[in-house]
Amino acid sequence: MTEKLCALQEAVARFVPDGASVALGLQLESMIPFAAGHEIIRQGKRDLALVGPISDILLDQLIGAGCAKRVTAAWVGNVMMGSAYNFRRAIEDGIPHAVEMVDHTNFTLALALHAGALGVPFLPTYTAGGSSVIARNPGLAEFEAPFTGEKMQAVRAISPDVTIVQAQRSDASGNAHVWGNLGVLPDAVHAAKHVIVVAEEIVSAKVIASDPNRTVIPGFLVSAVAEVPFGAHPSPVQGYYNRDNEYFGEYHKATRTRAQFERWLKEWVTCLKGREEYLSRLGNDRVQSLKVRKHAWSARADFGN
Amino acid sequence: MTEKLCALQEAVARFVPDGASVALGLQLESMIPFAAGHEIIRQGKRDLALVGPISDILLDQLIGAGCAKRVTAAWVGNVMMGSAYNFRRAIEDGIPHAVEMVDHTNFTLALALHAGALGVPFLPTYTAGGSSVIARNPGLAEFEAPFTGEKMQAVRAISPDVTIVQAQRSDASGNAHVWGNLGVLPDAVHAAKHVIVVAEEIVSAKVIASDPNRTVIPGFLVSAVAEVPFGAHPSPVQGYYNRDNEYFGEYHKATRTRAQFERWLKEWVTCLKGREEYLSRLGNDRVQSLKVRKHAWSARADFGN
Amino acid sequence: MVATAAREIRDGDVVFVGMRLPLIAFVVAKHTHAPDAVGVFENGILRSTPARELLFTMSDGPNITGALSCLSMLECMALLQRGRVSLGFLGAAEVDRRGNLNSTEVRDASGKAIRLPGSGGACDIAALAKRFVALLDHQRFRLPEKVHYVTSPGFGPWRAGRLAQGGPAAVITTKAVLRFSAGGEAYLHSYHPGTTVQDVLANTGWDLQVSPEVRETKPPTRQELRAIRAYDRDGFWTR
Amino acid sequence: MVATAAREIRDGDVVFVGMRLPLIAFVVAKHTHAPDAVGVFENGILRSTPARELLFTMSDGPNITGALSCLSMLECMALLQRGRVSLGFLGAAEVDRRGNLNSTEVRDASGKAIRLPGSGGACDIAALAKRFVALLDHQRFRLPEKVHYVTSPGFGPWRAGRLAQGGPAAVITTKAVLRFSAGGEAYLHSYHPGTTVQDVLANTGWDLQVSPEVRETKPPTRQELRAIRAYDRDGFWTR
């Protein structure tokens, strides 16, 4: 297998061109690829079409930094705190510029990516009938089902140009183990033209091959893999570190106004070179305090014969 | 959670009524629930509508024993040896009685169960166009896709009355770990009205809960769980025992004529009380020789925080 | 409010647990009257035991440790669409007379559009759970006669062909419990201790019907309060 | 036959490996000229290394140990439908002039229907792989002008709208390699060592076109034979 290991900077530079559709934050509130998002901001990517069910505050940061032309999502905010101010400013007042919002429900977004993964132009569902969501989203339409003739909703496929996933561990070819809640990760990986894996650690191919059922991301679908410890902070990575709840609270308070956000962005993103400087800024005590201490190991499975 | 643990006899007696549609052999050539199939034969179940992509020689045995009214499958035979003689006798000459065959492809059958699992009446696909499969199966029909207007095939949902799965290990509530190739197992479990789990071993709830990503079968969808070591023989169970290739060869030779099959059926199924007698008949040497010796343990995953 | 929500969970229910407050209601129910309830979380988690530590989001580590199963969002939503979910919980910013919920876009006093986070799984729960319960901060502007954006559909003509019965089984607010008539019209079922029927009516944006059997909401039992306090020690969710 | 099949695999190909003989062809290709090929098996397995022991079925233990990934059948078939599979292999009982394949139902000399196992994934591979190759035991009755049951469609009007180019890239028989013209008609591309053009024509059920460049099939190299013998020691598949 080809070696795809590279620096996160290079992965973003090569596989996230201006104008690309980018799926990220696939596991909802956990394993959000903040390091990759910050790199996108630092490289000044523009006109991105962001896709994600939720992505907690990462979507808000990308919108505030002016990277997004369109957001296709089911929920944009700060899960613990409520509203996300940059998102509100962009939609309500066009600050820093207007952003097109394509509203989905969690299920219709999951189905859109599933359609992309299955290679079909649409999938049928009973959800969203009678809602304004279907009335306003051109990717949702009523149709008559074959066989039964009943009215159902069709969800148009989404195939992102690039899907960015956070994984616990990967080998150098991008074969990656992921555990915990999977959200829309499997479909977003399969639907995408390119996949960037951001792994907490790069391990030997032997470790990955020891448990093929854990290999949610097959390397031959992956374009680049980068090793970025703590790459999902402040969101949690099961088995590695916990959620930094305070950080989400602080972000909420520190981004109420545009001027506040600009300061926040400089301090936490644009003035830093990468994840190592970010962690220094966070401070060793805080980093250590978030690390998993109560280990809970999986029972082993025998793949022998 | 409710305790669902019972003897295989009881599970089959309660949840496989005459006339039921029964999905089994979900992982193709591995982990085929032969013990459960033999119990169905011993209990003289009739008019079953069997569903399975392949099921190797188990479908042939159920057909030969007169349990099946209909077979909905993609391939019926002896994977290693070729034809399955009971299947041929039933279809070609109505021996022991006529059986209706509904031909699918692997993909259309997987989609039919997936539609059942998703709770929709159909799913769209590009496969099978121009084939006789679609021309002869009323569960497949051409239709015009919303959004793109192109001609596609619709696959009608299948929701089995009962799905029988072989699992490596389960707790007493039916939460079961399965590893290796999954075939159509996840969808067949979700699509079914009842699920019977046949496990190589019953383990504590703690072992299962230690690895929720391995829990492919959530217990609240399960009606009964039975502990049957070597329940899949002669098919293999990863980590427990290997495929008994000779058995498949012997079966092929021993079932060429109806009279031969009737003898085989008596010797291996109807004259035996259950799996323990079956294993005695097989002989301890043969059982021991099939057991996994070259262990290959999965790398552990940390579910702590 | 949390205790009242928890009581909507029946033992053995398969509960679709939405973000934020429902996370607590599920834990309280598991610790009190519904030990056999199963929780379905849209991120892909199934749980039959309550998480041991306070959750700020459903994807927090303690909600994964010891979970019954970790699936994908699609598989959890499929449980809803197959009719396997007996009860769903969701929050909303506005609820109207017909049980339509809005959590996407509201207007301020000047008529300007205010953007809220959006549906998440709320529309799906309303469309597909056998029963669903909405949670709401009771303020007059949050209870308009008609929401202008329907995030989660209530009672209406689109019910035909859907699996769900349509419309909320209850709207639990910070002041009251609303339920719905067979015709799909909201009525006041009970008012919480410390408030009155008049107070509820004055803070509702239409002429809310009052049940002839209206009563005070049963206050939280000691056991319920203990479960809430033990779980949300610092009162982040339940002050 | 196996060596010729293996040669159809290009290095880096994503290969959909059907039951029986293709299992060996994939291993031979991996050991010789295509070390970076990835195998997709319809039971849910992806492999980038060849299985270490002989496989009788794709679900045998050695095909799982050290696999790249274990998925579901749906996910593997989705790779096909998304156009991510560069080459598919399948066996057939009959092949006709237009590349239609039958593995479901044939007639014996008396016209009686003989039931074969059926499609398995054969129809899906033919419909959805970018290229596909069929393997056939070369006998006259297995090469009729027109099959009466189309398990796997060849060249025809249904090509529009499908992802695949339609029709086999090659039919590798025990005597020869057939390929297809742009118009979808089979022609003799090469005959295996030990047979002749005449022998192939005499054993084909229609007036088979012969390429002006027809040649003898390149015999297996020592390296290929070594790989076959090392893997199928007892000659179960390759006698």
Side-chain angles (χ1 to χ4, degrees):
Chain A
M1 300 286 289
T2 343
E3 174 118 352
K4 289 155 183 177
L5 195 57
C6 64
L8 180 57
Q9 283 83 340
E10 191 192 331
V12 168
R14 288 185 57 196
F15 297 107
V16 188
D18 285 351
S21 58
V22 186
L24 77 191
L26 312 165
Q27 290 148 279
L28 276 69
E29 301 92 345
S30 60
M31 299 179 75
I32 302 171
F34 277 95
H38 290 186
E39 191 54 38
I40 288 173
I41 294 172
R42 267 192 295 273
Q43 295 190 16
K45 300 292 183 183
R46 286 294 173 269
D47 295 326
L48 301 179
L50 301 172
V51 178
I54 288 186
S55 268
D56 219 329
I57 57 173
L58 179 55
L59 284 181
D60 189 65
Q61 294 171 13
L62 289 162
I63 293 165
C67 304
K69 153 188 79 177
R70 186 166 64 235
V71 176
T72 301
W75 198 95
V76 186
N78 179 326
V79 174
M80 194 173 96
M81 304 304 295
S83 269
Y85 296 112
N86 287 308
F87 173 58
R88 285 193 52 184
R89 278 189 286 268
I91 301 293
E92 296 171 15
D93 303 310
I95 296 172
H97 55 69
V99 167
E100 182 194 348
M101 179 67 201
V102 181
D103 276 298
H104 271 271
T105 75
N106 273 341
F107 195 14
T108 60
L109 189 65
L111 285 168
L113 290 167
H114 192 49
L118 286 177
V120 291
F122 84 101
L123 283 171
T125 178
Y126 291 108
T127 197
S131 73
S132 305
V133 181
I134 193 169
R136 293 215 205 162
N137 180 339
L140 304 173
E142 201 178 74
F143 79 110
E144 201 172 279
F147 300 120
T148 60
E150 67 202 298
K151 296 265 181 246
M152 295 187 73
Q153 277 68 250
V155 181
R156 191 194 275 267
I158 294 178
S159 299
D161 292 324
V162 57
T163 286
I164 305 178
V165 288
Q166 190 79 28
Q168 271 101 341
R169 58 190 178 210
S170 172
D171 67 18
S173 308
N175 297 297
H177 279 182
V178 179
W179 59 92
N181 56 298
L182 296 180
V184 299
L185 183 144
D187 284 323
V189 163
H190 282 269
K193 292 176 196 76
H194 292 286
V195 175
I196 297 175
V197 172
V198 185
E200 287 298 324
E201 49 176 343
I202 300 297
V203 297
S204 74
K206 227 172 146 176
V207 168
I208 300 298
S210 78
D211 193 350
N213 288 91
R214 191 88 70 200
T215 311
V216 178
I217 308 170
F220 73 95
L221 301 179
V222 172
S223 296
V225 53
E227 184 175 30
V228 186
F230 257 79
H233 176 274
S235 70
V237 174
Q238 199 75 10
Y240 289 76
Y241 44 90
N242 291 305
R243 192 170 194 271
D244 190 346
N245 293 307
E246 282 168 29
Y247 196 95
F248 285 89
E250 290 157 13
Y251 178 80
H252 192 65
K253 283 183 220 118
T255 59
R256 266 184 223 279
T257 67
R258 176 70 194 168
Q260 281 180 310
F261 172 70
E262 283 173 2
R263 205 173 317 130
W264 183 93
L265 191 68
K266 206 176 283 174
E267 282 177 18
W268 283 101
V269 183
T270 51
C271 276
L272 306 175
K273 276 211 197 70
R275 207 58 175 177
E276 277 178 40
E277 281 195 20
Y278 176 96
L279 294 180
S280 310
R281 193 173 194 291
L282 206 57
N284 190 50
D285 287 358
R286 191 162 180 178
V287 168
Q288 291 306 324
S289 74
L290 293 169
K291 282 197 177 161
V292 162
R293 275 155 307 181
K294 287 172 286 168
H295 300 290
W297 300 105
S298 60
R300 61 189 190 168
D302 189 356
F303 283 84
N305 47 77
Chain B
M1 299 287 288
T2 342
E3 174 118 353
K4 290 154 182 179
L5 197 56
C6 65
L8 180 58
Q9 282 83 340
E10 191 192 330
V12 167
R14 288 186 57 198
F15 297 107
V16 188
D18 284 351
S21 59
V22 186
L24 78 189
L26 312 165
Q27 290 147 280
L28 276 70
E29 300 93 345
S30 60
M31 298 179 76
I32 301 172
F34 277 96
H38 290 185
E39 191 52 40
I40 287 173
I41 293 172
R42 268 193 295 271
Q43 295 190 13
K45 301 290 184 181
R46 287 293 173 269
D47 294 327
L48 301 179
L50 302 172
V51 178
I54 288 186
S55 269
D56 219 328
I57 59 173
L58 180 54
L59 284 180
D60 189 64
Q61 294 172 13
L62 288 162
I63 293 165
C67 304
K69 151 187 81 178
R70 186 165 63 236
V71 177
T72 302
W75 197 95
V76 186
N78 179 326
V79 174
M80 194 173 94
M81 304 304 295
S83 269
Y85 296 112
N86 287 307
F87 173 59
R88 284 193 53 185
R89 278 189 286 268
I91 301 292
E92 295 171 16
D93 303 311
I95 298 171
H97 56 71
V99 167
E100 182 194 348
M101 179 67 201
V102 181
D103 277 297
H104 270 271
T105 75
N106 273 340
F107 194 14
T108 61
L109 189 65
L111 285 168
L113 291 167
H114 191 48
L118 286 176
V120 291
F122 84 100
L123 282 173
T125 178
Y126 290 108
T127 196
S131 73
S132 304
V133 181
I134 192 169
R136 294 215 204 161
N137 180 339
L140 303 173
E142 200 177 74
F143 78 111
E144 201 172 280
F147 300 121
T148 60
E150 66 202 299
K151 296 264 182 248
M152 295 185 74
Q153 277 67 249
V155 181
R156 192 195 275 268
I158 294 178
S159 299
D161 293 324
V162 56
T163 285
I164 305 179
V165 287
Q166 190 80 27
Q168 271 101 341
R169 59 190 177 208
S170 172
D171 67 19
S173 307
N175 298 298
H177 279 181
V178 179
W179 61 92
N181 56 297
L182 296 181
V184 299
L185 184 144
D187 284 322
V189 163
H190 282 270
K193 292 176 195 77
H194 292 286
V195 175
I196 298 175
V197 172
V198 186
E200 287 298 322
E201 50 176 343
I202 301 297
V203 297
S204 74
K206 228 173 144 177
V207 167
I208 300 298
S210 78
D211 193 350
N213 288 91
R214 191 88 69 201
T215 311
V216 177
I217 308 170
F220 73 95
L221 300 179
V222 172
S223 296
V225 52
E227 184 176 30
V228 186
F230 257 77
H233 176 274
S235 70
V237 174
Q238 198 75 11
Y240 289 76
Y241 45 89
N242 291 306
R243 193 170 193 274
D244 190 346
N245 294 307
E246 280 168 32
Y247 196 95
F248 286 89
E250 290 157 13
Y251 178 81
H252 192 67
K253 281 181 223 120
T255 59
R256 266 184 225 280
T257 67
R258 177 70 195 169
Q260 281 181 311
F261 172 72
E262 282 171 4
R263 203 173 319 129
W264 183 94
L265 191 68
K266 204 175 287 176
E267 281 177 20
W268 284 101
V269 183
T270 51
C271 276
L272 306 176
K273 276 212 194 70
R275 207 58 174 176
E276 278 179 39
E277 281 194 18
Y278 175 96
L279 294 180
S280 310
R281 190 170 198 295
L282 206 57
N284 189 48
D285 286 358
R286 191 163 179 177
V287 169
Q288 292 305 325
S289 75
L290 293 168
K291 282 197 178 160
V292 162
R293 274 156 308 183
K294 286 172 287 169
H295 300 290
W297 300 105
S298 60
R300 61 188 190 169
D302 189 356
F303 282 84
N305 48 76
Chain C
M1 186 179 187
V2 167
T4 310
R7 282 180 211 145
E8 294 288 324
I9 300 175
R10 299 168 193 162
D11 199 18
D13 267 356
V14 177
V15 185
F16 205 94
V17 186
M19 288 175 172
R20 303 166 63 93
L21 278 185
L23 293 174
I24 317 295
F26 176 68
V27 169
V28 171
K30 289 287 295 180
H31 277 300
T32 55
H33 65 282
D36 278 348
V38 172
V40 180
F41 301 83
E42 53 207 331
N43 61 358
I45 294 173
L46 305 179
R47 273 201 89 85
S48 58
T49 52
R52 263 189 272 175
E53 291 171 42
L54 181 68
L55 301 179
F56 292 95
T57 82
M58 62 179 71
S59 306
D60 289 5
N63 207 32
I64 295 169
T65 312
L68 190 153
S69 187
C70 280
L71 304 169
S72 69
M73 183 191 278
L74 190 80
E75 288 167 298
C76 287
M77 289 296 180
L79 284 167
L80 263 179
Q81 190 164 249
R82 284 209 312 283
R84 292 299 289 246
V85 173
S86 32
L87 176 65
F89 272 112
L90 51 95
E94 293 182 350
V95 175
D96 74 15
R97 191 167 185 158
R98 307 285 301 166
N100 296 300
L101 278 57
N102 180 6
S103 47
T104 304
E105 190 187 283
V106 296
R107 304 271 151 126
D108 70 9
S110 72
K112 187 189 162 186
I114 304 294
R115 175 68 208 205
L116 306 173
S119 164
C123 175
D124 309 313
I125 294 171
L128 302 172
K130 284 195 176 161
R131 295 169 65 235
F132 76 93
V133 169
L135 302 180
L136 183 81
D137 181 11
H138 202 128
Q139 300 186 57
R140 193 180 163 86
F141 72 91
R142 293 188 182 278
L143 289 146
E145 169 126 24
K146 195 171 178 347
V147 297
H148 88 275
Y149 188 106
V150 180
T151 308
S152 309
F155 296 91
W158 48 82
R159 288 173 59 182
R162 292 195 301 143
L163 299 175
Q165 298 305 305
V171 175
I172 301 175
T173 76
T174 40
K175 288 182 187 290
V177 177
L178 311 187
R179 296 196 184 268
F180 291 80
S181 69
E185 159 110 19
Y187 65 84
L188 178 60
H189 173 265
S190 71
Y191 50 92
H192 297 346
T195 182
T196 61
V197 170
Q198 275 60 40
D199 182 38
V200 171
L201 296 183
N203 284 286
T204 300
W206 72 90
D207 185 16
L208 179 65
Q209 309 255 338
V210 178
S211 166
E213 296 177 71
V214 70
R215 72 210 79 165
E216 192 178 76
T217 310
K218 223 180 90 194
T221 63
R222 250 175 304 170
Q223 200 198 2
E224 286 165 344
L225 279 176
R226 211 182 305 128
I228 295 171
R229 287 294 148 245
Y231 188 65
D232 187 12
R233 266 176 235 287
D234 301 331
F236 181 88
W237 293 111
T238 52
R239 268 147 294 177
Chain D
M1 186 178 188
V2 167
T4 310
R7 284 180 210 144
E8 293 289 323
I9 300 175
R10 299 168 191 159
D11 199 18
D13 267 357
V14 177
V15 184
F16 206 95
V17 186
M19 289 175 170
R20 303 167 63 94
L21 278 186
L23 294 173
I24 316 294
F26 176 69
V27 169
V28 172
K30 288 289 293 183
H31 278 301
T32 53
H33 65 282
D36 279 348
V38 173
V40 180
F41 301 83
E42 53 207 332
N43 61 358
I45 295 173
L46 305 179
R47 273 201 88 85
S48 58
T49 52
R52 263 189 273 173
E53 292 171 41
L54 182 68
L55 300 179
F56 293 96
T57 81
M58 63 179 70
S59 306
D60 290 5
N63 208 31
I64 294 169
T65 312
L68 190 153
S69 187
C70 281
L71 304 168
S72 68
M73 184 191 278
L74 191 80
E75 289 168 297
C76 287
M77 289 294 180
L79 284 168
L80 262 181
Q81 191 163 249
R82 284 210 313 283
R84 293 297 291 244
V85 173
S86 32
L87 175 65
F89 271 112
L90 50 95
E94 293 182 350
V95 175
D96 74 14
R97 192 166 185 159
R98 309 285 301 165
N100 295 301
L101 277 57
N102 179 7
S103 48
T104 304
E105 191 187 283
V106 296
R107 305 270 151 128
D108 70 8
S110 74
K112 185 187 164 189
I114 304 294
R115 174 67 207 204
L116 307 174
S119 164
C123 175
D124 309 312
I125 295 170
L128 302 171
K130 284 194 176 162
R131 295 169 66 234
F132 77 92
V133 169
L135 302 180
L136 183 82
D137 182 10
H138 202 129
Q139 301 186 55
R140 193 179 163 87
F141 72 91
R142 294 188 182 278
L143 289 146
E145 170 126 23
K146 195 171 178 340
V147 297
H148 89 276
Y149 188 105
V150 179
T151 308
S152 310
F155 296 90
W158 49 83
R159 289 174 61 183
R162 293 193 301 141
L163 299 174
Q165 297 307 303
V171 176
I172 301 175
T173 77
T174 40
K175 288 182 186 293
V177 177
L178 312 187
R179 296 195 184 269
F180 292 80
S181 69
E185 158 110 20
Y187 64 84
L188 178 59
H189 174 264
S190 70
Y191 50 93
H192 297 345
T195 183
T196 62
V197 171
Q198 275 60 38
D199 182 39
V200 171
L201 295 183
N203 284 287
T204 300
W206 72 90
D207 185 15
L208 179 66
Q209 309 254 336
V210 179
S211 166
E213 297 176 71
V214 70
R215 74 211 77 167
E216 193 180 79
T217 311
K218 223 180 91 193
T221 63
R222 249 174 306 169
Q223 199 198 2
E224 285 164 346
L225 280 177
R226 212 181 304 129
I228 294 172
R229 286 294 148 246
Y231 187 67
D232 186 13
R233 267 178 234 285
D234 300 332
F236 182 89
W237 294 112
T238 52
R239 268 149 291 176

